[in-house]
Amino acid sequence: MNFNSFIDFLNCLYIEEVEIATRTNNQERIARMVFTGDFGNDLTNTEINDSSRRQAMRTARCVKILGKGVVKVVHRCDDAKENENLDLSDCQLMQVPDAVFLLMKNTTLTSCSLAGNLITKIPPKLAISFSLITELNLANNRISALPNEMSNCTQLETIDISANSFVQLPPVLIEIPSLNKVNASKNFIADVEIEAMVSCANLEHINLEENPLNKNVYEELDKITSIRVLLSPREQEEWEDLSI
């Protein structure tokens, strides 16, 4: 792995301990500037040296932690070259590193998991590079849309987008005829294009539990028999109760 790839990985990682250490360093630096600027160098050289030493120690620890994060992702990519299953779950990723696609360039994947990260956007490159996957797990992220390029995944059978920020089922899903199972639970979905969903030839199972579905949509979904639709019990909103 070259230096540019290493930096690409670093820029995609979010590690809370590193964030706290960086914030603490900045706070100490600001405090020192205030005291030395406004109060006539009230801090002694010893105090300044102690502060600098603490900052250096925190910085060194941050570099070590980030390095471990990069190594973890690289090892997962190496494993995928052997088993064809790319598992980048719980890697504290804020985005999918471009370096991943470089490392996996000559590998045909059957599944990919990005679950349990902090990802907000899926790059089109993922669907283009991993077009032969049959399973994709994007659960527990912060994603609100899928790229149109997902239609390139012509063999995708199962997708998990649960616990994200979707307000509707991604329209691109109906353009994937091989799709058999969708988990879209724990999102913010209020409306569903029911006719389009039912028209999916191979779709057999869809989980829409724990979504704020509109009353009419909920009732129509509940009537569907051609697809197994999982719904949470719907509680009537106060504004729907005309007897109040």
Side-chain angles (χ1 to χ4, degrees):
M1 180 174 58
N2 59 32
F3 179 74
N4 289 335
S5 296
F6 181 78
I7 295 300
D8 179 44
F9 278 123
L10 285 183
N11 289 334
C12 294
L13 289 172
Y14 174 87
I15 298 177
E16 187 176 10
E17 187 173 348
V18 174
E19 181 72 16
I20 292 172
T22 302
R23 189 162 58 244
T24 303
N25 280 352
N26 290 337
Q27 289 171 345
E28 282 196 5
R29 189 177 301 111
I30 292 170
R32 190 170 66 195
M33 290 170 59
V34 169
F35 277 101
T36 56
D38 294 347
F39 300 99
N41 294 318
D42 284 347
L43 290 180
T44 65
N45 287 334
T46 300
E47 290 171 324
I48 293 173
N49 289 337
D50 286 345
S51 175
S52 298
R53 186 161 48 249
R54 287 195 300 272
Q55 290 180 19
M57 290 175 64
R58 281 193 292 265
T59 300
R61 178 169 175 76
C62 290
V63 171
K64 184 177 180 180
I65 293 171
L66 285 168
K68 286 183 178 180
V70 172
V71 170
K72 181 179 181 179
V73 174
V74 173
H75 282 173
R76 297 280 186 92
C77 290
D78 288 340
D79 290 342
K81 293 176 183 179
E82 300 293 329
N83 58 33
E84 299 182 347
N85 300 307
L86 180 60
D87 181 8
L88 297 182
S89 61
D90 301 310
C91 284
Q92 297 174 296
L93 295 171
M94 295 184 291
Q95 61 190 61
V96 183
D98 283 340
V100 165
F101 302 113
L102 181 63
L103 290 173
M104 304 309 300
K105 183 169 60 174
N106 297 317
T107 303
T108 300
L109 296 176
T110 58
S111 70
C112 176
S113 176
L114 296 169
N117 286 291
L118 301 165
I119 297 170
T120 58
K121 185 178 181 180
I122 296 300
K125 189 182 295 186
L126 184 142
I128 296 170
S129 300
F130 305 155
S131 61
L132 298 179
I133 58 174
T134 59
E135 183 176 349
L136 178 60
N137 190 347
L138 304 175
N140 290 289
N141 278 286
R142 300 174 180 178
I143 305 165
S144 59
L146 294 180
N148 292 331
E149 286 79 4
M150 285 297 303
S151 60
N152 288 302
C153 298
T154 55
Q155 297 186 41
L156 186 65
E157 298 176 358
T158 301
I159 186 169
D160 190 340
I161 58 172
S162 62
N164 274 285
S165 300
F166 291 94
V167 296
Q168 64 174 352
L169 279 177
V172 70
L173 294 183
I174 66 172
E175 299 177 28
I176 307 175
S178 57
L179 201 58
N180 177 266
K181 184 177 181 180
V182 177
N183 185 354
S185 62
K186 299 179 182 178
N187 277 283
F188 303 94
I189 298 171
D191 198 10
V192 176
E193 292 290 339
I194 295 177
E195 289 186 12
M197 186 184 78
V198 173
S199 69
C200 294
N202 291 307
L203 187 61
E204 295 182 357
H205 181 107
I206 182 165
N207 189 339
L208 289 168
E209 293 176 315
E210 298 186 52
N211 278 290
L213 294 165
N214 292 330
K215 181 181 178 181
N216 291 341
V217 171
Y218 184 96
E219 292 174 348
E220 289 299 314
L221 288 169
D222 200 34
K223 295 176 184 176
I224 295 175
T225 57
S226 59
I227 301 171
R228 186 186 179 194
V229 183
L230 297 183
L231 301 169
S232 297
R234 188 177 184 279
E235 296 183 5
Q236 190 176 46
E237 301 289 347
E238 287 187 7
W239 60 269
E240 294 175 338
D241 188 354
L242 299 179
S243 65
I244 297 177

